[in-house]
């Protein structure tokens, strides 16, 4: 298998045909934000293909400015091709490409026991494939996550510094403080938030941050939580 870097037009087609079905609306970054990061050289939208070019899955990777590691934001095997080991093989390809991977998987604190079981399975999938659960958690735009890492660094505080740097290099300090609780302190209340709040290029934060949503209106019946679709 290979990883193909997509251009903006290819990303748009993938986003509209696959991603809006694979991930809940409140967890899916708006397409405009992805394109903005691409223009900054900070976002790799990757298509996973067979050697002959047939698409098998995709991964969206957010890069820190200093390129120390990479945040695996969204990851899925295409519908109809799951449960065949493609997810594990893709994670290996991503690790070979970036050397260090950060991950965020929903914390199993839902009031729904079945949902919590899915979240625990997701964590198990990543742990079986070289990730470990870090000693800190985070809340991003109101959603509670376990933090994961695959790479050589053993000091979780050093990993936290790199992980937080992905967001700190993009958002202003006030925006970061309000929407990116990384780390989330024990007992700290999670700040309520819209799905994604983007600082507009022409506005100063504190006036009226722009809430970006694309036109899709609802979750798919068989929606996949963040990153779970790769299992």
């Amino acid at each position: 298998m290979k990883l193909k870097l997509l251009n903006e037009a290819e990303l748009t087609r993938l986003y509209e045909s696959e991603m809006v079905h694979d991930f809940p609306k409140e967890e899916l970054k708006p397409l405009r934000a992805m394109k903005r990061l691409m223009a900054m050289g900070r976002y790799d939208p990757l298509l996973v293909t067979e050697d002959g070019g047939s698409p098998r899955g995709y991964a969206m990777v957010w890069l820190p400015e200093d390129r120390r590691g990479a945040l695996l934001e969204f990851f899925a095997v295409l519908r109809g091709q799951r449960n065949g080991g493609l997810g594990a093989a893709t994670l290996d390809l991503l690790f070979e490409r970036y050397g260090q991977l950060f991950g965020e998987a929903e914390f199993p604190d839902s009031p729904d026991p079945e949902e919590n079981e899915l979240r625990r399975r997701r964590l198990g999938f990543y742990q079986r494939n070289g990730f470990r659960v870090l000693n800190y958690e985070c809340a991003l735009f109101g959603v509670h996550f376990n933090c994961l890492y695959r790479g050589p660094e053993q000091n979780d505080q050093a990993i936290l510094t790199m992980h937080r740097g992905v967001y700190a290099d993009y958002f202003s300090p006030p925006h970061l403080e309000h929407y990116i609780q990384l780390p989330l302190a024990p007992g700290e209340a999670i700040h309520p938030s819209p799905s994604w709040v983007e600082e507009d290029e022409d506005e100063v934060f504190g006036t009226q941050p722009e809430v970006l949503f694309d036109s899709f209106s609802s979750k798919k019946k068989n929606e996949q939580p963040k990153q779970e679709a790769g299992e």
Side-chain angles (χ1 to χ4, degrees):
M1 292 197 301
K2 297 180 179 179
L3 298 174
K4 176 190 175 184
L5 187 64
L6 302 180
N7 60 34
E8 281 198 8
E10 292 168 330
L11 170 61
T12 298
R13 288 194 294 271
L14 178 68
Y15 190 98
E16 294 175 348
S17 65
E18 299 292 336
M19 296 187 71
V20 297
H21 302 296
D22 288 338
F23 297 97
K25 180 177 179 179
E26 63 268 19
E27 295 181 17
L28 185 58
K29 176 183 287 185
L31 179 60
R32 176 181 167 184
M34 293 180 179
K35 289 183 176 181
R36 181 181 294 178
L37 280 163
M38 284 181 70
M40 298 168 63
R42 299 274 306 282
Y43 209 72
D44 284 355
L46 298 166
L47 186 70
V48 183
T49 68
E50 291 284 8
D51 291 341
S54 300
R56 304 301 297 272
Y58 59 86
M60 301 292 129
V61 180
W62 188 351
L63 303 171
E65 191 171 11
D66 63 7
R67 298 299 192 271
R68 293 178 64 204
L71 174 59
L72 179 56
E73 257 205 318
F74 301 100
F75 163 54
V77 173
L78 296 183
R79 288 165 287 166
Q81 302 187 49
R82 295 171 184 165
N83 301 316
L86 291 171
T90 299
L91 290 178
D92 287 342
L93 285 176
L94 292 167
F95 180 65
E96 290 173 9
R97 184 183 182 100
Y98 296 106
Q100 298 186 87
L101 293 172
F102 312 110
E104 296 150 354
E106 277 188 295
F107 197 88
D109 57 0
S110 168
D112 182 350
E114 291 185 4
E115 173 63 21
N116 283 332
E117 179 59 27
L118 287 173
R119 296 179 185 186
R120 283 188 285 268
R121 283 178 50 202
R122 188 180 317 136
L123 286 170
F125 166 72
Y126 283 102
Q127 289 176 298
R128 290 193 302 275
N129 287 283
F131 285 79
R132 62 186 179 87
V133 179
L134 299 168
N135 66 5
Y136 63 88
E137 300 161 13
C138 68
L140 310 172
F141 296 100
V143 181
H144 188 189
F145 293 100
N146 282 116
C147 296
L148 310 170
Y149 174 77
R150 179 174 173 177
E153 180 60 63
Q154 297 300 309
N155 186 316
D156 285 14
Q157 290 306 300
I159 296 168
L160 170 60
T161 299
M162 292 187 288
H163 188 181
R164 184 175 171 82
V166 175
Y167 296 98
D169 290 341
Y170 182 66
F171 291 120
S172 69
H175 204 85
L176 190 74
E177 181 179 355
H178 187 77
Y179 295 110
I180 309 299
Q181 295 172 263
L182 175 59
L184 181 70
E188 181 181 358
I190 294 174
H191 301 165
S193 171
S195 301
W196 179 275
V197 179
E198 181 81 355
E199 296 175 273
D200 192 83
E201 300 99 328
D202 299 322
E203 293 181 353
V204 177
F205 181 76
T207 55
Q208 182 59 52
E210 180 184 7
V211 182
L212 297 179
F213 297 106
D214 280 84
S215 59
F216 56 93
S217 59
S218 62
K219 302 178 188 177
K220 191 186 175 191
K221 291 181 181 179
N222 296 320
E223 67 187 19
Q224 295 289 336
K226 183 177 183 181
Q227 298 184 346
E228 181 189 359
E231 187 171 348

